[in-house]
């Protein structure tokens, strides 16, 4: 049997974790560096533009949960088949996941495009400027949303095979294209059309599309952990359903998370675009802080998957313990910095005093919960790597929608805007604690995904 590339079933767990997590963290930082630059450029257009891009981005992420499900299901199955030394089946799964990503993205475009404005109205974005700019932004992104679906799926396939460097290098290239095009298309520099918020959307699609083309080329040329040259280019409904069966709960997990954030916006909306802008900026900073957690979490998924595929349960469990400790320490330390100096980070995005003052208050509620966010991310991904995607979904639903949104609505009624910030913070604490308690039951150790009669090469 041919040995799979990126073998994570032997060797130092900490070394594997750092080798995998480093490029992923850098990738996320680069992506957020672009998002920060993008928000800085958009911020020069005013609070209305910030609010429009922020709210539209939340709606797009809600729609994009389908891509999360497909990429998660594909990553779990590819990792476990590679751990079982079944390269042919891993490649077959990869092809089916790419086809799924294309099919679903087409459906999302057809359904989402005519409903863009209604989506903004649903979260009470009634300001004419925000509504107009947000609808335009969403229309453009939805037309090219296949780039999001396919890029997420390909990235997950590469990581499942232990290759996190290639997606990072491709992301660097995509981000450079994005950052270069942003000011040109937003402000109309060097003879380019002045498109404003729409220019930001076009730059995003062009950069992401370039990355997809490169990753697909590497898969077809044999320079990826899996090759698409030997696979059959036909639909396999059985395997597609297996991918969806695993991924549907991850999709729902993302859906509940983003739905809760849209619920937060529904509560915040009546406070005006200044508060919405402050919330948008702080959520951008929150995502930036979560990058180390995301990186470590995405590194632990293939570690757990491959080792369970190789029936090395204790090694899979140890990899999670190491990752959880590392992630919690790093994110708690970053939270302490944000708690001490919130104004420094908010001023990067805006000079409007009212936005800055509101954002400082929110960050001081949010920053102490960063360690709990690390628990939620890393333990959730470890459970995913074992094939348990249902439990993290239930925990996310209960914590983000039941506790988080419920408290936000209740507390905002009694203590105003501070109730919103407190409710969001408490939901992070509940989710991290619940994820830890469920992981400790050990039920994830009994899940097996590798088929008894797999393909062989």
């Amino acid at each position: 049997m041919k040995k799979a590339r990126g073998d994570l079933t032997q060797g130092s767990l900490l070394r594997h974790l750092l080798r995998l997590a480093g490029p992923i963290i850098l990738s996320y930082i680069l992506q957020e560096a672009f998002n920060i630059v993008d928000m800085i450029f958009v911020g020069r257009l005013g609070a209305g533009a910030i609010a429009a891009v922020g709210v539209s981005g939340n709606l797009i992420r809600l729609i994009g949960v389908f891509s999360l499900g497909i990429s998660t299901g594909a990553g779990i199955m590819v990792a476990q088949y590679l751990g079982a030394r079944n390269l042919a089946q891993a490649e077959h799964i990869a092809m089916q996941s790419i086809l799924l990503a294309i099919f679903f993205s087409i459906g999302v475009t057809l359904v989402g495009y005519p409903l863009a404005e209604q989506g903004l109205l649903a979260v009470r974005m009634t300001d004419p400027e925000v509504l107009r700019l947000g609808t335009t932004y969403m229309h453009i992104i939805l037309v090219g949303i296949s780039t999001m679906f396919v890029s997420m799926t390909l990235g997950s396939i590469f990581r499942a095979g232990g290759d996190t460097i290639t997606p990072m290098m491709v992301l660097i290239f995509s981000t450079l294209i994005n950052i270069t095009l942003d000011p040109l298309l937003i402000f109309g520099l060097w003879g380019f059309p002045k498109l404003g918020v729409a220019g930001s959307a076009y730059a995003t699609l062009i950069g992401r599309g370039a990355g997809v083309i490169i990753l697909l080329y590497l898969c077809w040329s044999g320079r990826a952990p899996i090759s698409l040259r030997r696979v059959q280019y036909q639909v396999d409904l059985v395997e597609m359903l297996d991918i969806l069966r695993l991924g549907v709960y991850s999709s729902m997990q993302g859906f509940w998370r983003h739905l809760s954030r849209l619920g937060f916006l529904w509560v915040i909306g009546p406070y005006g675009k200044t508060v919405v802008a402050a919330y948008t900026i702080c959520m951008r900073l929150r995502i930036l802080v979560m990058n180390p957690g995301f990186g470590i979490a995405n590194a632990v998924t293939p570690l757990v998957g491959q080792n369970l595929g190789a029936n090395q349960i204790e090694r899979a469990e140890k990899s999670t313990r190491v990752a959880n400790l590392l992630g919690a320490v790093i994110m708690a330390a970053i939270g302490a910095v944000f708690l001490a100096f919130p104004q420094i980070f908010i001023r990067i995005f805006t000079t409007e005093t009212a936005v800055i003052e509101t954002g400082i208050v929110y960050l001081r509620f949010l920053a102490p919960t960063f360690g709990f966010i690390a628990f939620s991310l890393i333990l959730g991904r470890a459970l995913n790597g074992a094939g348990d995607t249902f439990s993290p979904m239930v925990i996310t639903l209960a914590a983000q929608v039941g506790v988080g949104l419920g408290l936000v609505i209740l507390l905002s009624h009694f203590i105003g805007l501070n109730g919103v910030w407190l409710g969001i913070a408490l939901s992070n604490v509940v989710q991290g604690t619940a994820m830890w308690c469920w992981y400790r039951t050990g039920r994830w150790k009994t899940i097996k995904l590798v088929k008894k009669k797999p393909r062989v090469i």
Side-chain angles (χ1 to χ4, degrees), residues 74-415:
I76 293 169
M77 293 184 72
V78 169
Q80 292 210 14
Y81 277 118
L82 288 177
R85 303 294 190 268
N86 193 343
L87 181 59
Q89 183 69 3
E91 292 174 343
H92 180 66
I93 294 297
M95 185 69 239
Q96 297 307 307
S97 66
I98 292 170
L99 292 175
L100 265 178
I102 294 171
F103 296 155
F104 268 83
S105 64
I106 292 172
V108 166
T109 299
L110 294 176
V111 174
Y113 190 93
L115 298 176
E117 184 175 349
Q118 285 76 7
L120 292 166
L121 290 171
V123 291
R124 302 200 283 189
M125 293 297 113
T126 57
D127 183 275
E129 181 187 15
V130 175
L131 192 60
R132 175 177 56 84
L133 294 176
T135 301
T136 299
Y137 184 89
M138 287 188 66
H139 279 164
I140 296 168
I141 294 295
L142 283 167
V143 168
I145 203 167
S146 59
T147 58
M148 173 197 290
F149 277 65
V150 178
S151 65
M152 285 186 65
T153 300
L154 288 169
S156 183
I157 291 168
F158 273 79
R159 288 190 294 271
D163 182 358
T164 58
I165 294 178
T166 299
M168 178 195 71
M169 298 303 295
V170 172
L171 183 60
I172 290 174
F173 178 72
S174 299
T175 303
L176 289 175
I177 292 176
N178 217 327
I179 291 176
T180 301
L181 289 176
D182 236 354
L184 301 180
L185 295 177
I186 291 174
F187 303 116
L189 304 178
W190 298 355
F192 283 82
K194 184 178 180 180
L195 301 176
V197 166
S200 171
Y202 283 120
T204 298
L205 291 186
I206 294 170
R208 191 182 288 152
V212 168
I213 292 172
I214 294 172
L215 290 175
L216 284 174
Y217 169 75
L218 293 174
C219 289
W220 259 279
S221 66
R223 302 177 188 177
I226 55 91
S227 173
L228 298 179
R229 280 185 174 181
R230 298 182 293 269
V231 298
Q232 295 180 341
Y233 305 118
Q234 62 185 34
V235 172
D236 185 338
L237 292 178
V238 173
E239 296 296 1
M240 283 187 173
L241 288 174
D242 281 344
I243 294 169
L244 291 175
R245 177 179 57 82
L246 281 173
V248 65
Y249 297 124
S250 289
S251 287
M252 293 306 299
Q253 183 180 353
F255 179 82
W256 298 130
R257 184 169 58 247
H258 293 306
L259 182 65
S260 68
R261 289 172 189 165
L262 289 173
F264 301 155
L265 282 169
W266 182 83
V267 176
I268 293 169
Y271 287 93
K273 63 184 178 183
T274 296
V275 174
V276 174
Y279 171 81
T280 299
I281 289 171
C282 290
M283 291 304 291
R284 183 70 71 192
L285 288 170
R286 176 183 182 272
I287 294 172
L288 178 64
V289 172
M290 288 169 65
N291 285 334
F294 277 131
I296 296 170
N298 281 308
V300 83
T301 301
L303 268 170
V304 171
Q306 285 200 23
N307 282 290
L308 286 180
N311 202 33
Q312 298 189 51
I313 297 174
E314 290 184 6
R315 182 177 170 85
E317 187 172 15
K318 185 178 178 181
S319 67
T320 305
R321 289 200 303 270
V322 173
N324 202 37
L325 178 62
L326 181 63
V329 169
I330 292 173
M331 287 187 61
I334 297 173
V337 175
F338 272 67
L339 182 64
F341 310 105
Q343 66 278 1
I344 294 176
F345 301 99
I346 298 172
R347 289 183 191 277
I348 295 172
F349 300 94
T350 183
T351 58
E352 296 188 27
T353 303
V355 176
I356 294 171
E357 291 176 351
T358 303
I360 287 173
V361 175
Y362 178 29
L363 270 188
R364 284 180 170 155
F365 276 96
L366 188 65
T369 71
F370 286 163
F372 290 95
I373 294 174
F375 274 32
S376 178
L377 290 173
I378 294 167
L379 294 174
R381 291 292 189 182
L383 291 169
N384 287 170
D388 181 4
T389 56
F390 178 75
S391 302
M393 183 272 292
V394 173
I395 292 170
T396 301
L397 170 61
Q400 294 296 318
V401 179
V403 176
L405 186 54
L407 283 178
V408 163
I409 294 172
L410 181 65
L411 295 176
S412 66
H413 179 72
F414 289 102
I415 60 178

